[in-house]
Amino acid sequence: WADVEVRSALLGAARLQDPGDRAARTCALGALQNLSAHMGADSSSMWEDTESREALLAAARLSDAADRKARVCALGTLRNLAATTKNKERMWSDKDGARSIVVDAAKLSDKSDREVRDCAIATLWNLSKAPFNGLSADDLASARLALEAASRLTAPEDRQARAYAEAAVRSFATIGRG
């Protein structure tokens, strides 16, 4: 990540829009996801970088079925970044960006979107462990609804998503009260 040329190449490929470039975009997003998993506390630099944040959020918004893997990689990167304390409040505070994208993805119910939804639920679980100050119950309402729905999933392949959702619901339950 510290290599400016490599970062620039990855972000350039992650922003490709032409349908013929889907494979390159997905590979670049996969590389960013792998990098984010191994950055530790340094992952805040990926979130703080406007260019990388915009590329990740744009890819996490993709909705075409052919872009599903790219979306999973982008949401997987957000999940990894949300594990870093320094990123949690910044990501949650991005109400019209990261927060809405992740909450909307967590609400997906089609079986073909399972991996997308699972990354979003895991991201919410990571975010739920932040020391939020000044949030009201209204700030959490949409996330809570998505997580409560996920906590009721019954398919065996939804076991991990259900566990993340249940844990996040418990964490969020203490926010905005008292």
Side-chain angles (χ1 to χ4, degrees), residues 60-75:
R61 281 186 183 100
L62 295 171
S63 59
D64 191 293
D67 295 320
R68 195 170 281 123
K69 184 63 180 166
R71 189 177 188 191
V72 166
C73 291
L75 284 162

Side-chain angles (χ1 to χ4, degrees), residues 47-94:
W47 181 251
E48 289 169 357
D49 181 75
T50 302
E51 190 177 359
S52 66
R53 185 174 56 250
E54 288 174 358
L56 291 169
L57 294 177
R61 281 186 183 100
L62 295 171
S63 59
D64 191 293
D67 295 320
R68 195 170 281 123
K69 184 63 180 166
R71 189 177 188 191
V72 166
C73 291
L75 284 162
T77 304
L78 294 179
R79 176 198 58 220
N80 294 341
L81 297 178
T84 301
T85 302
K86 192 172 180 183
N87 292 335
K88 290 177 191 294
E89 196 158 356
R90 291 176 182 161
M91 292 176 80
W92 185 262
S93 296
D94 187 13

Side-chain angles (χ1 to χ4, degrees), residues 1-165:
W1 182 250
D3 187 313
V4 176
E5 290 179 22
V6 171
R7 179 174 56 219
S8 180
L10 287 173
L11 293 175
R15 287 191 310 270
L16 293 172
Q17 297 294 315
D18 189 275
D21 294 328
R22 280 187 168 116
R25 178 178 57 211
T26 300
C27 288
L29 289 162
L32 290 170
Q33 181 180 5
N34 287 330
L35 282 170
S36 69
H38 300 286
M39 292 177 73
D42 292 336
S43 73
S44 61
S45 64
M46 188 180 282
W47 181 251
E48 289 169 357
D49 181 75
T50 302
E51 190 177 359
S52 66
R53 185 174 56 250
E54 288 174 358
L56 291 169
L57 294 177
R61 281 186 183 100
L62 295 171
S63 59
D64 191 293
D67 295 320
R68 195 170 281 123
K69 184 63 180 166
R71 189 177 188 191
V72 166
C73 291
L75 284 162
T77 304
L78 294 179
R79 176 198 58 220
N80 294 341
L81 297 178
T84 301
T85 302
K86 192 172 180 183
N87 292 335
K88 290 177 191 294
E89 196 158 356
R90 291 176 182 161
M91 292 176 80
W92 185 262
S93 296
D94 187 13
K95 182 179 180 180
D96 297 322
R99 186 193 325 176
S100 68
I101 290 167
V102 170
V103 169
D104 287 346
K107 293 176 184 176
L108 295 173
S109 59
D110 191 286
K111 287 183 182 190
S112 61
D113 289 319
R114 179 175 278 128
E115 198 173 2
V116 171
R117 183 197 62 219
D118 290 356
C119 282
I121 291 168
T123 303
L124 288 172
W125 174 66
N126 279 337
L127 291 173
S128 75
K129 298 181 286 176
F132 293 112
N133 295 313
L135 285 183
S136 69
D138 290 343
D139 292 326
L140 303 170
S142 188
R144 275 197 183 123
L145 287 174
L147 291 166
E148 287 168 358
S151 71
R152 292 187 298 272
L153 295 169
T154 58
E157 55 271 16
D158 292 325
R159 182 182 52 79
Q160 187 64 55
R162 187 172 49 252
Y164 281 135

